Amino acid sequence: MIAGTFSTPISRLPFLNSLNRQVSALELQNELNLSRSQFELLRKDGYSPPSLSAAGHKPLWDVAQARSFINGWLRGAETVLSPGKNWVDLAKAGQRLKIRPGQVVRLIIEGRLTRIGKLESENDYASIHVRFEELENALNLPDAPGMTIEAFALSVGLKPPQTGRLIKKGHTPASVGRNPKTRARQHHMQEQDIIDFKENFVTLRELAFLRGQSWQSLGAALREHKIAPFSPDGFDYGPLYQWTILEESGIAHRPKSHEERR
């Protein structure tokens, strides 16, 4: 956990958790029609982290945030009346191809699956369907030269347009490569690009996770200390903060790299 100090004890900060229901792992699974095995596999792949987690306390998940992720995966989905053999849900896709659900989710986020289906009148995890043949073909494609901007943005807690703007304005580097499916040239985040980003910036979600507190309470604390999101030119880059500003204010310190810890 990042070392950091606030003049106001965390226990006295104004919590906004009442606005978004925090639930246990089992309750979240019931809410999203998500089996325990699928939930645990997604957690291992980093797709379902708790919104509130601290040592000695039971982790909790934000239902609204979880539903927002699923809605993002279902963006532009076509209605599936009868799945048949061509449409498969994520659990069945994993069973048939011996892969984890996180691999399918990543393909959806990266736009490498062009046809996403949704069961009629449903809007939960079990309703997500993909075309089996397209999934097979996507898995056989050569790896992309890095994470797509959309995949990277979602992984750190930003919106893709915000991350794209950050790159276009020259605030963080990105590499250019060809999309393995469309062959179009586009920005990707390679390993060094991601390292450079994390050396300079941290998102509200990532900082909350590192501090072991909810993003709502952390956001309130940052506003109390008049720490504004990064925006030197007036553009919207999302809930993004510079480590230098956080460190100068005594709010938090960037975690040491692997080499520094050795």
Side-chain angles (χ1 to χ4, degrees), residues 10-255:
I10 289 178
S11 60
R12 296 180 187 174
L13 290 174
F15 281 82
L16 302 180
N17 288 342
S18 59
L19 296 179
N20 293 309
R21 187 156 57 95
Q22 309 286 324
V23 299
S24 67
L26 181 58
E27 290 173 312
L28 183 71
Q29 292 164 38
N30 291 333
E31 285 274 351
L32 302 181
N33 195 11
L34 174 62
S35 71
R36 179 179 178 181
S37 61
Q38 289 285 293
F39 176 73
E40 293 299 338
L41 287 172
L42 286 168
R43 282 198 72 182
K44 288 179 181 179
D45 288 339
Y47 285 107
S48 56
S51 57
L52 185 59
S53 177
H57 294 278
K58 185 177 180 180
L60 296 174
W61 281 259
D62 185 325
V63 174
Q65 186 179 63
R67 287 196 176 280
S68 176
F69 283 135
I70 289 179
N71 289 338
W73 303 342
L74 287 171
R75 188 182 301 117
E78 52 190 287
T79 300
V80 177
L81 300 177
S82 178
K85 65 178 183 180
N86 295 322
W87 288 102
V88 292
D89 61 36
L90 303 195
K92 288 180 180 177
Q95 291 169 0
R96 290 174 63 176
L97 294 174
K98 308 300 181 186
I99 59 174
R100 291 152 70 117
Q103 291 176 261
V104 186
V105 169
R106 180 174 180 179
L107 291 174
I108 293 174
I109 292 174
E110 292 181 347
R112 293 171 65 184
L113 294 180
T114 59
R115 295 189 65 186
I116 309 301
K118 182 178 81 70
L119 292 181
E120 188 178 23
S121 302
E122 300 292 338
N123 196 37
D124 53 27
Y125 179 82
S127 75
I128 304 172
H129 282 64
V130 296
R131 299 285 292 187
F132 187 75
E133 183 178 0
E134 184 183 28
L135 176 59
E136 281 188 306
N137 292 336
L139 290 170
N140 290 328
L141 286 173
D143 290 335
M147 291 183 73
T148 65
I149 300 306
E150 181 176 13
F152 174 73
L154 295 175
S155 74
V156 297
L158 295 176
K159 295 178 180 178
Q162 295 167 340
T163 306
R165 187 177 301 123
L166 192 73
I167 293 167
K168 290 176 182 177
K169 294 295 181 180
H171 298 304
T172 197
S175 302
V176 177
R178 291 192 181 278
N179 183 298
K181 187 169 186 177
T182 66
R183 308 308 299 165
R185 291 179 63 80
Q186 62 187 55
H187 282 110
H188 287 84
M189 295 294 284
Q190 294 186 339
E191 182 178 3
Q192 188 57 53
D193 299 323
I194 295 173
I195 291 173
D196 291 342
F197 174 90
K198 291 182 179 289
E199 275 291 309
N200 294 318
F201 300 107
V202 63
T203 63
L204 180 65
R205 190 179 80 182
E206 289 190 317
L207 185 59
F209 177 77
L210 289 168
R211 290 189 61 87
Q213 69 183 107
S214 70
W215 61 266
Q216 296 98 328
S217 65
L218 177 58
L222 291 170
R223 289 192 295 274
E224 179 182 323
H225 285 76
K226 302 187 184 307
I227 306 297
F230 177 77
S231 181
D233 44 18
F235 288 98
D236 175 22
Y237 298 109
L240 183 69
Y241 299 86
Q242 279 187 293
W243 276 118
T244 53
I245 301 299
L246 295 173
E247 290 175 330
E248 289 173 1
S249 304
I251 295 297
H253 296 278
R254 76 191 77 192

